[in-house]
Amino acid sequence: MQPDLEPMLPPEPRASTAPPLWVWALVAGMGAVAAYSGYTALSANQLYHQGESVRLDLARQRDRLKANVTDLTRQVEQANRSLGEVENALKQSRANTESASAQITDLQKQVGELQQQVTDLQQRSADLEKARNAAEAEAKAAKDAVHGAKDASAKEIASLKSQLAAAQKKLNQALADLKKEREFVSPVPMPPPSGEVPQDAPPPR
């Protein structure tokens, strides 16, 4: 039995038609979606890295702020302690200032009294100096007067002595003349003048 052989027919020619437009649109859309997805993924990755960097930066800033807050808190506590010490020192300083003011007032009063005493002593010294000068002037005048009186007395005494000597000489001469006249008038011896004692007269009892 021979198989039935179909006659050899030439192959049917295939129609060379282009793919439809919607295919190209779909492919383009898928490419755009893929590109957008990639861009979105890259953007998301970049945003993630940026967010992570920002988060790390914020964490560092937060830690720095915490450290600053701690430092500021410590500084505030130290400032409060310093303020308390300053207030205590100010109170003590005010007390010392009041005490010093009282002492200064007392010292000023004492200085005023001492200055018044010094002024009084200077016035008394000036008065004593004037009195001393006046006394020295009076003493000098009295000394000059004494010297003048002494010189005048000496001159007067010398003049009196001279006059006395002249008078004594005249008296002696007169007595001598009188004695001669008496001897010439009467040979009777005449008594000696007053003040002269004869040699042969007895001594007075």
Side-chain angles (χ1 to χ4, degrees):
M1 178 175 181
Q2 293 181 355
D4 293 336
L5 295 175
E6 293 181 358
M8 297 294 294
L9 294 177
E12 294 180 357
R14 295 181 178 177
S16 58
T17 59
L21 183 60
W22 63 271
V23 174
W24 291 108
L26 180 60
V27 171
M30 291 178 65
V33 170
Y36 178 74
S37 298
Y39 176 74
T40 303
L42 290 175
S43 298
N45 189 17
Q46 186 176 1
L47 289 174
Y48 172 76
H49 286 294
Q50 289 179 356
E52 189 67 19
S53 177
V54 170
R55 187 183 68 80
L56 293 176
D57 190 14
L58 290 175
R60 285 193 297 270
Q61 292 182 6
R62 181 192 62 190
D63 295 336
R64 187 165 57 250
L65 287 175
K66 286 183 178 180
N68 292 334
V69 168
T70 303
D71 191 15
L72 289 175
T73 303
R74 186 173 60 253
Q75 291 180 5
V76 167
E77 292 177 354
Q78 185 176 0
N80 289 330
R81 288 194 298 269
S82 300
L83 181 60
E85 294 176 356
V86 169
E87 288 179 351
N88 293 330
L90 183 59
K91 291 179 181 178
Q92 184 65 31
S93 177
R94 287 176 179 173
N96 294 334
T97 301
E98 291 177 356
S99 177
S101 298
Q103 292 179 1
I104 289 172
T105 302
D106 294 338
L107 289 176
Q108 288 177 348
K109 185 177 179 181
Q110 293 178 6
V111 168
E113 293 176 354
L114 291 175
Q115 287 179 349
Q116 185 62 36
Q117 292 179 5
V118 169
T119 303
D120 295 339
L121 289 175
Q122 289 177 349
Q123 185 64 35
R124 290 177 59 186
S125 177
D127 295 338
L128 290 175
E129 186 68 20
K130 290 180 180 179
R132 185 179 68 84
N133 293 332
E136 287 180 354
E138 292 178 358
K140 184 177 180 182
K143 186 177 181 181
D144 294 339
V146 168
H147 282 297
K150 186 177 180 180
D151 294 338
S153 298
K155 289 180 180 179
E156 187 175 359
I157 290 171
S159 176
L160 290 174
K161 285 182 178 180
S162 177
Q163 292 178 5
L164 180 61
Q168 186 69 34
K169 185 177 180 180
K170 289 180 179 180
L171 179 61
N172 293 332
Q173 184 65 34
L175 289 174
D177 294 340
L178 181 60
K179 184 177 181 182
K180 287 180 180 180
E181 289 180 358
R182 287 181 178 179
E183 288 178 355
F184 181 75
V185 172
S186 175
V188 180
M190 297 294 293
S194 65
E196 294 182 2
V197 179
Q199 295 180 358
D200 55 353
R205 293 182 180 179

